[in-house]
Amino acid sequence: MYKIVEKRALAPQIFLMDIEAPRVAKSAKAGQFVIIKMDEKGERIPLTISDFDVKRGTVTIVVQTIGCSTKEMENYEVGDSFLDFVGPLGQASELMSESIEELKNKKIMFIAGGLGTAPVYPQVKWLNEQGVKADVIIGAKAKEYVIMEEEMKSVAGTVYPCTDDGSYGYKGLVTNKLKELVQNEGKKYDLVIAIGPMIMMKFVCKLTEELGITTIVSMNPIMVDGTGMCGGCRLTVDGETKFACVDGPEFDGHKVDFAEAMRRQTMYKSQEVSKTEGIKPGCGLVGGTK
Amino acid sequence: MSIKKRVPIAEQDPKVRATNFEEVCQGYTEDEAVEEASRCLNCKKPMCITKCPVAIDIPGFIQHVKKREFVEAVKVIDKYSTLPAVCGRVCPQETQCESKCILGIKGDAVAIGKLERFVGDYSREHNVDLSETKPKKGIKVAVIGSGPSGLTCAGELAKDGYDVTIFEALHEAGGVLIYGIPEFRLPKETVVKHEVENVVKLGVKIETNVIIGRTVTINQLMEEEDFKAIFIGSGAGLPMFMGIPGENLNGVFSANEFLTRNNLMKAFKEGYKTPIRVGKKVAVVGGGNVAMDAVRTSVRLGSEGHIVYRRSESELPARAEEVHHAKEEGVIMDLLVNPLEILGDAAGNVIGMKCIRMELGEPDASGRRRPVELKGTEFTMDVDTVIMSLGTSPNPLIPLTTEGLDINKKKCIIAEDGTGLTSIDNVYAGGDAVSGAATVILAMEAGKKAAKAINEMLSK
């Protein structure tokens, strides 16, 4: 059993949890994910690691209530336990395989969409520990949905909040903000790392391709085991089939087939709406939680 | 003297069982088992034993069954195998022990598998105590994976007095016995759980949710956690695909995914939250036991099930019993057919599969006749789900994260014949991780031999 030792709301429908899992905390790296199965009958839910504390033996996750499994998770309180918690899964962020000198010479921009801010944080934090300051665009629907801004500011260069409704920071999409920074303010970036909803990552990649900036995205497809066994998370990268769980979750965004990836995310959607014949109705889409 | 016929065994009616996940074969009663056991000639030179990978004293346990000494029979098998109720159900006896039975020359071989199953079930139903071990040595051994090879290796080492911990990546112990083989062939709650518990009763600890290579590495286990030897029984869990167009459409699954959703995650059961998608017409591509498991599962979930296999019936790698059961349950066999492309609608859902008919040519390297395309015979199968069951390969994670662990071209761990010793001292491997996908009993054999080698190495 894996005990919840801290829980707090970050925004409407978004909450953070610190979970006791010493083995995972000890080996976790930025960019990796965990799988949680709440109880005997639960789904295996993949969630990106938002932070970890080796001394306390805890791993932090940030969850948005989008399906009934994540809604159920919201009912768990401090002191409760999850039945299963496994990780860290997937490859660590590619940044970690580069030399510090190389990274210091790079101007890096993170683009965090909504809940995607959570997995961006450990990467920016890690860079900061190496003496590299990265900039971050945080995109959200409205002010109350901007999460982890203070934490981010403490480890980032400049943080640019953007909201769709203009209630906070820049009014407009993250892509417009990036375009403005590069084209109007003369900012130069060598690398963009975008984590957020699939549709946002797709449009960021479209823009950065035009701007000629290498872009890494973190994919969050449907999966079961997370260890390469089921192949449910397969996607096409540069014309080749890859398994997000073991080959990723991070990929070169300019090579990802987003249309296919977005379509595959709807695999069980009909089940949520109607009990289609021959299909067991699912509880909720997992994935989309990054 | 005419040979008595094999005592028939009760099975669920095909029409009924095609709608449920209860076990197909219902096993012998005590009287039936005794009657069947009495057919055994108790040969002086029992050939059956020579074909058993773990060399169970087959006439020995059968003679006890014949005399109604069931507990004694349990104890005979337990000397050789910790998983009799599993093996009695899933071993290919017809090509192993039973193929050498003298009675088989002129009539029916003794139903060794069904008798083994009877003894395994008797042991469970009567709580026969099998927890005896040698005095504890206080030496730690780690076993990676809780499938057949890992459970066997762990059980054997625990009997020898070692302090054994099994690390399992999934949330439940049993490996392929849990995620792969369906309920209707191998009940989980009763049979698999019980045989896993028997290993735990020997003192083996099982840590689930630990992925070796990610959560902790082999080096860390040896250096930081004081394990003196390691056995890798991580199986062959990676699914293969054909590489034809349309394989990433919605409605195309690996047999591994389909079966894992249904078996491990229990999607077929009310209240379990993992979704499963199976359409009105399902094509399972492949002809092995896993393909039969997948197609029979899809039939039970309410669809029309097809096997699509590029050779003919006599080349099917699946056990004859599984093919027979599948047909009885209404599975349609589309043989000498090979898929070319999976077709999708505008939304990316499967709406058909383009195939071509095949004929058999000259034998290939495997000795089976090579399937050759028949030009101009392309046709479209009307299906909305395609399940690829083309075999599996070992997971590369452990070799990738363990410096010095050698693998071959097929990504199998290289291990010494007879001992399982790998290219690293004190690290052993066996089962599908070494052989590629094979059978439960061959994995058990490898686990058993490695346990013996580990014991000898640590006793020096």
Side-chain angles (χ1 to χ4, degrees):
Chain A
M1 299 288 272
Y2 303 84
K3 204 163 111 185
I4 300 158
V5 293
E6 194 173 336
K7 181 192 175 186
R8 61 175 194 269
L10 298 184
Q13 287 104 46
I14 297 178
F15 59 95
L16 171 152
M17 276 179 177
D18 287 344
I19 296 152
E20 249 173 29
R23 277 196 187 276
V24 185
K26 197 179 162 195
S27 44
K29 292 193 180 71
Q32 292 184 299
F33 63 100
V34 295
I35 284 181
I36 295 176
K37 184 167 163 286
M38 287 182 280
D39 56 17
E40 161 65 22
K41 294 183 176 176
E43 299 183 79
R44 289 172 66 96
I45 308 168
L47 294 159
T48 313
I49 293 169
S50 299
D51 206 353
F52 47 89
D53 185 329
V54 183
K55 272 193 198 149
R56 284 170 76 208
T58 58
V59 175
T60 305
I61 52 158
V62 176
V63 184
Q64 187 163 22
T65 53
I66 44 161
C68 64
S69 280
T70 43
K71 277 186 191 128
E72 199 184 321
M73 194 178 278
E74 202 182 15
N75 296 328
Y76 280 71
E77 300 298 339
V78 170
D80 294 343
S81 294
F82 294 130
L83 185 58
D84 297 293
F85 187 100
V86 62
L89 294 155
Q91 309 278 346
S93 162
E94 246 177 79
L95 294 173
M96 297 191 169
S97 52
E98 290 188 40
S99 78
I100 306 301
E101 286 316 303
E102 266 176 78
L103 289 173
K104 280 184 175 163
N105 290 328
K106 267 187 190 164
K107 199 70 192 119
I108 304 170
M109 167 65 92
F110 283 87
I111 300 184
L115 191 69
T117 316
V120 160
Y121 172 70
Q123 300 206 25
V124 179
K125 181 181 158 190
W126 181 83
L127 282 172
N128 185 50
E129 283 160 6
Q130 316 307 317
V132 180
K133 289 278 185 196
D135 291 346
V136 184
I137 295 175
I138 299 179
K141 270 196 295 197
K143 188 180 180 189
E144 67 263 37
Y145 291 95
V146 175
I147 61 169
M148 301 177 80
E149 192 193 357
E150 287 314 309
E151 291 95 319
M152 200 70 85
K153 276 183 177 163
S154 69
V155 292
T158 311
V159 176
Y160 304 97
C162 306
T163 51
D164 295 353
D165 65 357
S167 53
Y168 187 60
Y170 175 85
K171 181 180 192 298
L173 300 171
V174 292
T175 40
N176 292 340
K177 181 68 197 175
L178 177 66
K179 207 171 181 176
E180 187 187 277
L181 288 172
V182 173
Q183 293 183 340
N184 302 345
E185 296 182 26
K187 298 267 185 193
K188 223 183 133 314
Y189 292 103
D190 306 298
L191 177 65
V192 165
I193 296 164
I195 307 181
M198 203 89 88
I199 187 87
M200 179 206 90
M201 295 193 286
K202 177 186 162 174
F203 282 105
V204 167
C205 289
K206 205 171 159 231
L207 171 66
T208 54
E209 208 160 9
E210 287 163 21
L211 298 173
I213 309 171
T214 306
T215 301
I216 303 288
V217 294
S218 178
M219 303 300 283
N220 52 348
I222 295 171
M223 59 178 75
V224 185
D225 61 289
T227 64
M229 255 178 58
C230 79
C233 67
R234 61 194 189 275
L235 39 93
T236 305
V237 182
D238 205 14
E240 261 184 69
T241 294
K242 297 279 182 192
F243 288 4
C245 68
V246 288
D247 299 318
E250 294 189 355
F251 293 98
D252 179 341
H254 294 156
K255 293 178 176 164
V256 170
D257 182 342
F258 278 104
E260 179 187 276
M262 288 165 76
R263 172 184 32 84
R264 287 184 64 80
Q265 280 212 318
T266 65
M267 188 86 79
Y268 296 93
K269 217 145 210 181
S270 55
Q271 299 180 285
E272 291 184 81
V273 185
S274 65
K275 297 191 176 186
T276 315
E277 194 184 342
I279 298 184
K280 186 199 164 178
C283 164
L285 270 181
V286 294
T289 38
K290 286 185 178 164
Chain B
M1 189 185 88
S2 71
I3 299 170
K4 272 200 213 162
K5 282 211 170 295
R6 180 181 277 208
V7 176
I9 198 155
E11 284 179 356
Q12 263 200 85
D13 180 81
K15 284 209 177 73
V16 176
R17 71 179 191 241
T19 63
N20 67 42
F21 279 89
E22 305 293 312
E23 200 173 7
V24 171
C25 174
Q26 293 165 329
Y28 280 143
T29 61
E30 289 188 8
D31 289 344
E32 287 166 346
V34 170
E35 194 188 336
E36 179 60 20
S38 68
R39 294 175 65 234
C40 174
L41 301 177
N42 197 13
C43 302
K44 269 204 177 125
K45 283 189 183 167
M47 297 305 289
C48 48
I49 299 179
T50 64
K51 288 288 271 182
C52 174
V54 295
I56 292 175
D57 177 5
I58 294 166
F61 91 79
I62 292 182
Q63 291 312 303
H64 284 302
V65 174
K66 186 175 158 184
K67 292 185 237 160
R68 289 189 181 266
E69 297 161 354
F70 302 130
V71 174
E72 298 309 310
V74 169
K75 293 196 167 162
V76 170
I77 297 184
D78 186 59
K79 282 187 205 156
Y80 306 90
S81 168
T82 42
L83 308 172
V86 170
C87 290
R89 286 171 167 84
V90 303
C91 257
Q93 292 98 6
E94 64 280 4
T95 62
Q96 296 181 165
C97 52
E98 292 176 13
S99 74
K100 288 285 175 183
C101 178
I102 295 295
L103 294 186
I105 299 171
K106 286 190 174 165
D108 296 334
V110 173
I112 300 169
K114 303 286 189 259
L115 288 173
E116 184 188 18
R117 169 192 163 143
F118 168 79
V119 172
D121 288 352
Y122 183 91
S123 172
R124 179 181 70 251
E125 286 156 8
H126 295 81
N127 277 316
V128 179
D129 180 21
L130 300 168
S131 62
E132 200 184 322
T133 68
K134 289 188 183 156
K136 299 275 178 272
K137 294 180 197 286
I139 301 173
K140 287 173 78 180
V141 179
V143 168
I144 301 169
S146 61
S149 71
L151 286 174
T152 303
C153 186
E156 294 292 318
L157 287 166
K159 284 182 190 171
D160 282 331
Y162 291 94
D163 176 4
V164 185
T165 304
I166 298 180
F167 295 99
E168 167 56 47
L170 293 171
H171 56 264
E172 205 169 328
V176 73
L177 308 176
I178 286 287
Y179 74 75
I181 305 176
E183 193 71 22
F184 54 83
R185 273 215 296 141
L186 186 62
K188 311 294 164 226
E189 285 299 316
T190 47
V191 178
V192 180
K193 271 206 177 148
H194 179 80
E195 300 210 333
V196 170
E197 272 161 24
N198 273 347
V199 173
V200 172
K201 279 183 189 153
L202 291 167
V204 172
K205 296 183 267 291
I206 301 182
E207 254 196 75
T208 52
N209 298 322
V210 177
I211 300 171
I212 303 303
R214 284 271 181 264
T215 315
V216 62
T217 63
I218 287 191
N219 285 344
Q220 286 173 318
L221 287 179
M222 297 181 87
E223 284 164 21
E224 297 170 21
E225 302 195 25
D226 201 32
F227 286 100
K228 300 297 182 201
I230 310 252
F231 174 76
I232 306 170
S234 50
L238 253 55
M240 297 183 199
F241 288 91
M242 289 187 81
I244 58 173
E247 258 181 327
N248 290 350
L249 288 166
N250 289 8
V252 184
F253 306 95
S254 71
N256 255 7
E257 175 176 1
F258 185 68
L259 290 171
T260 300
R261 284 179 181 277
N262 200 66
N263 303 340
L264 173 73
M265 305 310 295
K266 305 188 177 78
F268 72 92
K269 274 196 190 174
E270 204 53 52
Y272 283 78
K273 297 189 182 114
T274 299
I276 192 160
R277 170 172 164 157
V278 54
K280 290 185 180 130
K281 286 187 182 181
V282 177
V284 176
V285 181
N289 288 322
V290 176
M292 298 304 149
D293 286 345
V295 77
R296 295 170 70 196
T297 297
S298 67
V299 167
R300 282 162 172 75
L301 292 172
S303 63
E304 177 184 299
H306 294 249
I307 283 284
V308 175
Y309 180 59
R310 63 196 182 128
R311 302 184 206 245
S312 72
E313 178 150 357
S314 53
E315 285 81 20
L316 281 170
R319 290 181 69 191
E321 183 178 316
E322 304 307 326
V323 177
H324 172 69
H325 280 158
K327 285 188 191 166
E328 279 187 339
E329 289 160 14
V331 169
I332 301 157
M333 309 295 279
D334 291 303
L335 304 169
L336 289 163
V337 171
N338 204 30
L340 297 173
E341 183 182 355
I342 302 163
L343 310 168
D345 62 14
N349 292 305
V350 172
I351 50 165
M353 184 162 75
K354 196 175 150 195
C355 299
I356 187 162
R357 300 207 183 273
M358 313 289 280
E359 64 176 352
L360 293 179
E362 296 300 307
D364 64 11
S366 72
R368 294 180 301 177
R369 291 174 66 192
R370 185 195 305 273
V372 186
E373 288 185 357
L374 276 170
K375 273 193 188 131
T377 61
E378 290 89 347
F379 68 101
T380 300
M381 267 183 90
D382 171 28
V383 291
D384 53 14
T385 303
V386 176
I387 296 171
M388 290 294 175
S389 180
L390 310 160
T392 51
S393 63
N395 197 318
L397 188 58
I398 290 174
L400 283 175
T401 53
T402 310
E403 207 179 317
L405 185 65
D406 292 343
I407 55 171
N408 66 18
K409 272 187 206 158
K410 289 183 172 169
K411 298 197 172 140
C412 298
I413 297 170
I414 298 173
E416 189 180 73
D417 261 357
T419 67
L421 182 65
T422 67
S423 53
I424 302 177
D425 283 349
N426 298 16
V427 177
Y428 295 74
D432 287 3
V434 169
S435 60
T439 60
V440 168
I441 190 72
L442 288 171
M444 288 177 59
E445 177 190 21
K448 201 174 168 181
K449 286 183 171 168
K452 187 166 170 276
I454 290 170
N455 183 30
E456 282 168 8
M457 185 266 297
L458 292 175
S459 303
K460 271 180 195 161

